[in-house]
Amino acid sequence: MRIKTERSQHTPPSRSTSKEYDSIEMDRLWRPVFEKYDSDNDGWIPLDELKRILQSDPSEISSDFPEDILDEILERADWDHNRMLSYEEFLRMVHAMELGSARPKFQRLVRFAAMAVVPRTERATTVRRYLEQYSCMPPPLFMIIASLGELGVFIYYCVKLKELSAAGPIPLDSSLIYNPRRRNEAWRFITYMLIHAGAVHIFFNIIIQLLLGIPLEMVHKWWRVGLLYLAGGLAGSLGSSISDPSTFLAGASGGVYALIAAHLANVIVNFKEMEFAWFRLAALFIFGGTDVGVALYYRYFGKEDSRTSYASHFAGALGGLLLGVIILKNLKVHSWEKKLGWVLFIIYLFFMVFAILWNIFYYEYFPPLESKN
């Protein structure tokens, strides 16, 4: 109390002094709690011992450790390779808890995002690391910006072509759509994601990429999700160009399916630990079935000059599976997972290079290129 009284009579402490004071206060409050369970005074608490105490007398340990901290300690007991908790690690948990208490709405948002994409056995640790590291600069806006861009392009062509329907408009003369006769305009292999074949197409794509993409951004950061989304889109266009060389391509389904594949793999691997796992699987399969069904309809029953490819869905999903392991963050990193991630990345790279070289050198496989007007 004497320290607080003296400071109240002078100018506010500097940031460094304030941090030192906070550190002293945290140490004064929490070191006795830590030392209570550090029976041999070596600076480490055996996690297995904490689990044993919790099972035998849960009221005692829950009165010492706040719920959030206890949840993370128990998570670590399940997957931490050294099975020990240091005092520094414990203080980081406490610090994150206080950050969350200062920003309760933000903490709830982080918890919701973690609930959507993180198994229960990793959730408290993910939330703590996120509260520690995330600065909201920039905020998770990649999927929102991408969706607004796609919606803006769709509205533009609705106005320009004076058409709005479940199946249109499809601006075949757009410089953004993938046109097999304009394959030399390399930007089309990415910008086709901005064009959609009707209201149903864009509605499903935007809904799914927002529902999956924003939580993924909250946990894995925007640039990882952005890389996965664009890599899936590129894989979709290159895969379509090889399997369906004469077909136009429109829609962000390649990127969307990359997100679905990464999320689906996570749900399947951690099925017992995910919230509403059956509902998630059902929703993903319903979307996938609807989207592929629409693509198949336009492929085989649509106008001959406006058929869109469904091969991009498969190629985008394959890209998401191959890249998701190495691009998305993993709390429990094992040596075999790192090796697997690099093997899958090399496989993805091999297919991409193969598809690019096929497009460049096997020109007789494709329709003749149109000359620029």
Side-chain angles (χ1 to χ4, degrees):
M1 295 297 295
R2 184 173 60 85
I3 295 175
K4 291 183 179 179
T5 303
E6 289 176 357
R7 284 189 171 166
S8 65
Q9 296 171 355
H10 297 83
T11 57
S14 64
R15 180 173 298 180
S16 60
T17 304
S18 177
K19 287 183 178 180
E20 291 174 2
Y21 175 71
D22 291 341
S23 178
I24 293 171
E25 282 295 292
M26 286 184 64
D27 188 73
R28 182 181 66 81
L29 291 171
W30 294 106
R31 184 172 286 279
V33 175
F34 184 86
E35 290 178 346
K36 177 179 178 180
Y37 297 92
D38 180 14
S39 56
D40 53 4
N41 297 318
D42 64 350
W44 297 86
I45 298 177
L47 295 175
D48 292 332
E49 178 66 13
L50 280 182
K51 287 189 71 175
R52 186 191 64 78
I53 296 173
L54 181 63
Q55 292 170 354
S56 61
D57 189 1
S59 60
E60 177 186 352
I61 193 170
S62 60
S63 64
D64 290 328
F65 295 99
E67 182 180 354
D68 292 347
I69 295 177
L70 186 58
D71 287 344
E72 183 175 356
I73 289 174
L74 294 177
E75 284 182 11
R76 293 173 67 90
D78 289 333
W79 56 261
D80 194 353
H81 64 281
N82 68 359
R83 316 291 295 176
M84 303 290 282
L85 179 69
S86 72
Y87 183 59
E88 289 73 19
E89 291 171 334
F90 175 66
L91 283 185
R92 288 178 62 188
M93 297 179 186
V94 174
H95 178 65
M97 181 194 69
E98 293 180 349
L99 286 176
S101 299
R103 297 180 293 173
K105 292 182 179 180
F106 182 65
Q107 186 186 39
R108 285 196 295 270
L109 181 62
V110 174
R111 287 187 180 280
F112 174 78
M115 185 180 71
V117 298
V118 178
R120 280 191 293 264
T121 53
E122 303 174 18
R123 195 165 299 156
T125 308
T126 300
V127 172
R128 190 263 301 170
R129 291 183 178 180
Y130 192 88
L131 292 173
E132 277 185 328
Q133 300 172 7
Y134 192 63
S135 62
C136 287
M137 295 299 291
L141 292 176
F142 176 83
M143 289 313 311
I144 294 176
I145 292 173
S147 299
L148 289 175
E150 293 161 13
L151 183 61
V153 170
F154 181 74
I155 293 173
Y156 168 79
Y157 281 110
C158 284
V159 174
K160 180 179 179 181
L161 300 178
K162 299 179 180 179
E163 179 184 355
L164 173 60
S165 66
I170 305 178
L172 298 178
D173 59 346
S174 171
S175 60
L176 300 176
I177 198 171
Y178 173 77
N179 182 341
R181 296 181 181 274
R182 293 289 183 91
R183 238 173 33 265
N184 55 319
E185 298 171 350
W187 66 84
R188 292 177 181 263
F189 285 88
I190 285 290
T191 58
Y192 80 95
M193 299 173 73
L194 296 170
I195 303 291
H196 285 79
V200 172
H201 194 200
I202 192 170
F203 173 79
F204 274 101
N205 275 357
I206 286 181
I207 289 296
I208 293 297
Q209 68 188 28
L210 288 178
L211 289 178
L212 291 184
I214 292 178
L216 282 171
E217 280 190 64
M218 290 286 292
V219 173
H220 297 282
K221 302 297 180 67
W222 70 270
W223 62 269
R224 288 188 177 92
V225 176
L227 276 176
L228 190 64
Y229 183 73
L230 294 176
L234 184 58
S237 59
L238 288 172
S240 175
S241 70
I242 292 176
S243 65
D244 239 346
S246 62
T247 301
F248 284 76
L249 185 62
S253 294
V256 171
Y257 272 80
L259 298 180
I260 289 177
H263 185 77
L264 186 61
N266 184 42
V267 172
I268 292 174
V269 170
N270 303 288
F271 189 82
K272 293 182 179 180
E273 299 297 331
M274 297 299 290
E275 302 281 356
F276 311 112
W278 283 111
F279 174 79
R280 293 167 188 263
L281 288 179
L284 292 175
F285 280 116
I286 288 173
F287 164 76
T290 302
D291 197 47
V292 171
V294 171
L296 286 171
Y297 174 81
Y298 289 120
R299 175 65 176 85
Y300 293 108
F301 300 102
K303 297 178 181 178
E304 184 68 21
D305 62 348
S306 64
R307 298 181 305 174
T308 54
S309 173
Y310 58 87
S312 63
H313 300 72
F314 174 76
L318 183 60
L321 282 174
L322 293 176
L323 289 180
V325 175
I326 195 169
I327 288 182
L328 299 180
K329 290 193 299 184
N330 187 356
L331 282 177
K332 298 180 289 186
V333 180
H334 304 290
S335 58
W336 68 268
E337 289 178 318
K338 290 183 179 180
K339 295 175 183 177
L340 176 63
W342 283 109
V343 168
L344 295 179
F345 174 74
I346 291 171
I347 293 174
Y348 172 83
L349 200 61
F350 170 80
F351 281 119
M352 295 295 285
V353 171
F354 173 80
I356 291 171
L357 293 178
W358 184 290
N359 271 270
I360 293 175
F361 296 108
Y362 196 8
Y363 53 86
E364 63 269 20
Y365 177 76
F366 300 94
L369 294 176
E370 295 178 350
S371 58
K372 294 182 180 180
N373 295 331

